Amino acid sequence: MAKTLPGTTIAVDWNRPEEAETLLNSLFLAGGLMLSQVASLTGLEPYVIQNWVRRGFVAPPERKRYSRRQFSRIVLINMLKDSMQLDKICALLSYVNGELDDESDDLIDDFQLYLYIVRLAALVEHQPPSGPDEAARWCQTAAESYRESVPAPGPVARCLHVILTAYLAGRLKQEAEALLAALA
């Protein structure tokens, strides 16, 4: 049961979502990713990524290399862009991370936030939440029980709930488009 990590072209086995962290960490052993690698791993055109950097949605790369955090931010935006407007995505990420191009004011590392999403997506793959209340509980549990403690689990859980809801909306949109295509 292999699919791709949300917002990426990277295959993952949803029966072992914890392997995503190891896989993602291994990408950064050489000290970061070049723009072409980020584009390949996300399916985005390089100019889109550069535009997001120019607009302050992502911190600029250092020595032309994107860090794990920057990559995670790009992936989060990419994952959400089909179901949310870009300005709303940025407002959501600013809710937990202040200025988007300044990592010093972040409540949570973008990589850790993305790992929460991967784990929630794995739950969805096995059994979607029965409704918004269950989705909110999943997000609260994720924010409270992950390995490292989060300084502000409340805002992080609320942010996760929005992201999870947008992820589910994106999946429904894809499903509707497939059904529509089958009509033709």
Side-chain angles (χ1 to χ4, degrees):
M1 178 161 122
K3 298 225 179 192
T4 59
L5 289 173
T8 76
T9 60
I10 303 168
V12 67
D13 180 352
W14 286 121
N15 291 315
R16 296 190 302 266
E18 64 282 352
E19 290 180 0
E21 182 174 5
T22 305
L23 175 64
L24 290 170
N25 279 328
S26 70
L27 295 173
F28 295 91
L29 292 175
L33 299 174
M34 300 298 289
L35 178 60
S36 61
Q37 293 170 303
V38 174
S40 175
L41 292 169
T42 60
L44 292 167
E45 293 293 331
Y47 74 86
V48 171
I49 298 164
Q50 291 170 322
N51 183 39
W52 292 351
V53 170
R54 247 189 323 280
R55 293 177 69 185
F57 304 155
V58 178
E62 292 185 29
R63 294 181 303 276
K64 298 186 179 187
R65 292 196 171 269
Y66 290 84
S67 70
R68 191 176 72 162
R69 260 183 130 145
Q70 292 161 316
F71 176 74
S72 298
R73 171 73 56 84
I74 291 165
V75 168
L76 284 165
I77 295 170
N78 189 36
M79 178 186 91
L80 295 171
K81 71 179 176 42
D82 289 337
S83 57
M84 293 178 73
Q85 296 172 343
L86 201 52
D87 62 325
K88 303 241 192 270
I89 296 168
C90 293
L92 173 64
L93 295 175
S94 293
Y95 175 70
V96 289
N97 285 342
E99 294 295 321
L100 294 183
D101 59 352
D102 178 9
E103 295 174 354
S104 68
D105 62 353
D106 292 1
L107 285 180
I108 183 170
D109 180 290
D110 286 303
F111 182 68
Q112 188 175 8
L113 183 64
Y114 183 67
L115 291 178
Y116 286 139
I117 294 304
V118 168
R119 289 177 183 266
L120 290 168
L123 289 173
V124 167
E125 287 299 319
H126 293 296
Q127 178 65 46
S130 60
D133 290 341
E134 184 174 28
R137 279 192 305 279
W138 287 7
C139 296
Q140 188 66 40
T141 300
E144 290 173 351
S145 66
Y146 195 65
R147 281 186 304 184
E148 294 114 32
S149 65
V150 175
V156 171
R158 287 188 291 278
C159 179
L160 285 171
H161 191 198
V162 173
I163 293 172
L164 179 60
T165 302
Y167 174 73
L168 291 167
R171 285 176 43 123
L172 286 173
K173 180 182 173 191
Q174 289 174 346
E175 209 174 295
E177 288 171 353
L179 289 169
L180 181 62
L183 295 177

